[in-house]
């Protein structure tokens, strides 16, 4: 029988893991199924572009994995039973259940509302394509002079607010940041960011913790009302609750706890990558939810699985560290903040058009790598049966 590998989620981490496994393992011995709710690979790092009316290149999973041996399965995961090694699905034909020998859990994350009242009812987000398209439609129907408030001063919030302001200069666009504007960046980067916000006419509300969202704006904890016809919520991410509902060991965040090979510490047949996993980076600091973390986590998991199944020595470990933070500030400006291995700002940076081109190159490279998970020729290896499997076959 073939070793059944099921990958849940085709974001950057899941898509990379599936493709890399297919490159490493022989198709005669393995069956790789990639379960995803969307028929396309979605470039999540471009959702602010989609929301502002830009059309993204379609990347159907059926084309991405054509000839690789990976079988995309269009379905939504509803439950995972890690003890019986089954996954419950629902698709256009109804409910179904599939089994696995090895599971790669990469269901990713959704927008976190942090329990703030009114977010679900009144705010938009750009955590995925459906929500980005809803915002796109709303912005398209917003007349000149309309007001937009982006809540959240992190990477997603900065990219969203500058993209909206650049695309729609006829709107009154504002940003509400819990701390100072870009206060994790170095001084020169912060200065450039303020200049971009001034140039684009963005009103910045610093040290503004939002207590609730209403139909016509947001209210801060000190009682100030920030008016807005459209509120965009970008205050971080939370993982899907499916893992926490299983017996697999999870952290307080709901992320699966993994070792340095991305293997579950409680269930050795389960690996977790991307936002769904909590893994230690340099200095033991947990890796943040990001594409920059998810892709090397996927490399590590796929190579560890391939080594285990084929009885080979481990492949070289992926660099689970950071090099830079890439921030697009519209289509013609940006900041590349170089960082230490544990993600702290260094003095070096790039800004302006060069930074915008750099960020575009990174985004294009990340998407290209999904279809090219290993950039050099490799040989597919045969799976080596374990002693228990041999005994079971003989008996």
């Amino acid at each position: 029988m073939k070793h059944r590998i099921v990958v849940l989620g085709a974001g950057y981490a899941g898509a990379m893991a599936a493709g890399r496994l297919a490159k490493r393992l022989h198709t005669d011995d393995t069956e790789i199924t990639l379960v995803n709710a969307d028929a396309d690979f979605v470039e999540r790092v471009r959702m602010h572009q989609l929301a502002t009316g830009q059309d993204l290149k379609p990347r159907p999973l059926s084309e991405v994995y054509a000839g690789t041996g990976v079988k995309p399965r269009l379905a939504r995961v509803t439950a995972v039973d890690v003890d019986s090694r089954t996954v419950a699905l629902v698709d256009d034909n109804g409910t179904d259940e599939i089994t696995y020998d090895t599971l790669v859990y990469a269901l990713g994350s959704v927008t976190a509302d942090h329990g703030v009242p009114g977010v679900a009812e009144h705010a938009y987000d750009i955590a995925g394509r459906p929500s980005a398209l809803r915002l796109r439609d709303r912005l398209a129907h917003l007349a000149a002079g309309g007001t937009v408030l982006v809540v959240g001063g992190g990477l997603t919030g900065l990219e969203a607010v500058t993209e909206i302001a650049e695309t729609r200069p006829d709107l009154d666009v504002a940003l509400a940041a819990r701390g100072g504007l870009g206060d994790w960046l170095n001084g020169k980067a912060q200065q450039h960011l303020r200049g971009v916000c001034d140039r684009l006419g963005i009103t910045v509300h610093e040290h503004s913790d939002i207590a609730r969202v209403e139909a016509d704006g947001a209210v801060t904890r000190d009682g100030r009302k920030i008016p807005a016809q459209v509120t965009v919520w970008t205050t971080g991410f939370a993982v899907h609750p499916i893992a926490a509902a299983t017996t697999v060991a999870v952290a307080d965040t709901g992320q699966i706890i993994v070792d340095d090979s991305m293997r579950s510490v409680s269930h050795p047949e389960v690996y977790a990558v991307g936002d769904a996993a909590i893994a230690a980076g340099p200095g033991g600091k947990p890796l943040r939810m990001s594409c920059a973390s998810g892709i090397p986590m996927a490399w590590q998991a796929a190579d560890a699985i391939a080594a285990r199944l084929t009885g080979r020595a481990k492949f070289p470990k992926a660099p689970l560290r950071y090099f830079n933070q890439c921030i697009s500030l519209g289509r013609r400006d940006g900041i590349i903040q170089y960082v230490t291995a544990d993600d702290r700002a260094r003095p070096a940076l790039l800004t302006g058009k060069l930074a915008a081109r750099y960020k575009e190159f990174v985004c294009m490279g990340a998407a290209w790598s999904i279809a090219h998970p290993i950039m050099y020729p490799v040989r597919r290896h045969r799976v080596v049966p374990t002693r228990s499997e041999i005994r079971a076959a003989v008996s």
Side-chain angles (χ1 to χ4, degrees), residues 275-324:
D275 294 355
I278 186 163
K285 182 180 178 181
L287 297 172
R288 61 179 164 88
M289 293 183 179
S290 66
C291 174
S293 303
I295 288 180
M297 290 170 75
W299 295 345
Q300 186 76 326
D303 288 358
I305 292 169
R308 176 172 62 87
L309 294 181
T310 59
R312 298 174 61 81
K314 290 184 177 180
F315 295 100
K317 289 187 176 181
L320 296 177
R321 55 153 297 169
Y322 298 101
F323 298 93
N324 51 49

Side-chain angles (χ1 to χ4, degrees), residues 59-310:
R59 301 180 186 276
L61 295 175
S62 58
E63 295 181 9
V64 171
Y65 295 106
T68 66
V70 176
K71 299 178 180 178
R73 173 73 187 272
L74 183 60
R76 182 170 59 86
V77 179
T78 57
V80 177
D81 188 329
V82 292
D83 298 314
S84 65
R85 302 189 186 185
T86 59
V87 179
L89 309 174
V90 61
D91 58 20
D92 292 341
N93 298 317
T95 59
D96 193 12
E97 185 177 270
I98 58 175
T99 58
Y100 64 83
D101 298 304
T102 297
L103 179 71
V104 180
Y105 187 101
L107 288 180
S109 58
V110 295
T111 292
D113 61 16
H114 303 291
V116 176
V119 172
E121 296 85 358
H122 304 300
Y124 294 82
D125 70 76
I126 54 173
R129 184 159 67 175
S131 57
L133 289 173
R134 285 193 293 271
L135 176 58
R136 176 187 179 121
D137 182 69
R138 181 69 182 92
L139 291 175
H141 289 88
L142 192 61
T147 52
V148 178
L149 172 65
V150 176
V151 179
L155 298 176
T156 304
L158 294 179
E159 294 195 328
V161 74
T162 52
E163 200 78 40
I164 293 170
E166 181 181 88
T167 305
R168 292 291 305 272
D170 58 326
L171 299 178
D172 184 359
V173 181
L175 174 74
R178 192 173 189 177
L181 180 64
D183 55 9
W184 74 93
L185 302 169
N186 70 29
K188 290 183 178 180
Q190 291 182 46
Q191 183 179 5
H192 183 80
L193 178 58
R194 290 186 184 278
V196 171
C197 288
D198 289 344
R199 173 173 59 80
L200 294 175
I202 299 169
T203 302
V204 180
H205 301 273
E206 298 182 81
H207 308 289
S208 297
D209 195 5
I210 301 302
R212 68 179 183 273
V213 178
E214 299 177 344
D216 59 351
V219 179
T220 65
R221 293 206 179 277
D222 58 9
R224 292 181 295 115
K225 178 68 175 285
I226 304 177
Q229 292 171 269
V230 177
T231 298
V232 185
W233 193 260
T234 66
T235 63
F237 301 98
V239 297
H240 287 279
I242 290 177
T246 71
T247 57
V248 72
V250 298
D252 293 340
T253 58
Q255 294 169 287
I256 296 175
I257 303 172
V258 297
D259 62 17
D260 61 359
S261 69
M262 304 303 120
R263 197 176 194 177
S264 164
V265 298
S266 63
H267 290 72
E269 71 283 354
V270 175
Y271 292 74
V273 294
D275 294 355
I278 186 163
K285 182 180 178 181
L287 297 172
R288 61 179 164 88
M289 293 183 179
S290 66
C291 174
S293 303
I295 288 180
M297 290 170 75
W299 295 345
Q300 186 76 326
D303 288 358
I305 292 169
R308 176 172 62 87
L309 294 181
T310 59

Side-chain angles (χ1 to χ4, degrees), residues 340-369:
T340 59
D342 62 351
D343 212 26
R344 290 175 290 114
R346 294 171 52 203
L349 78 157
L350 297 176
T351 59
K353 292 182 180 179
L354 179 59
R357 294 192 187 101
Y358 188 114
K359 173 62 188 288
E360 178 61 21
F361 176 78
V362 169
C363 292
M364 291 174 60
W368 180 86
S369 70

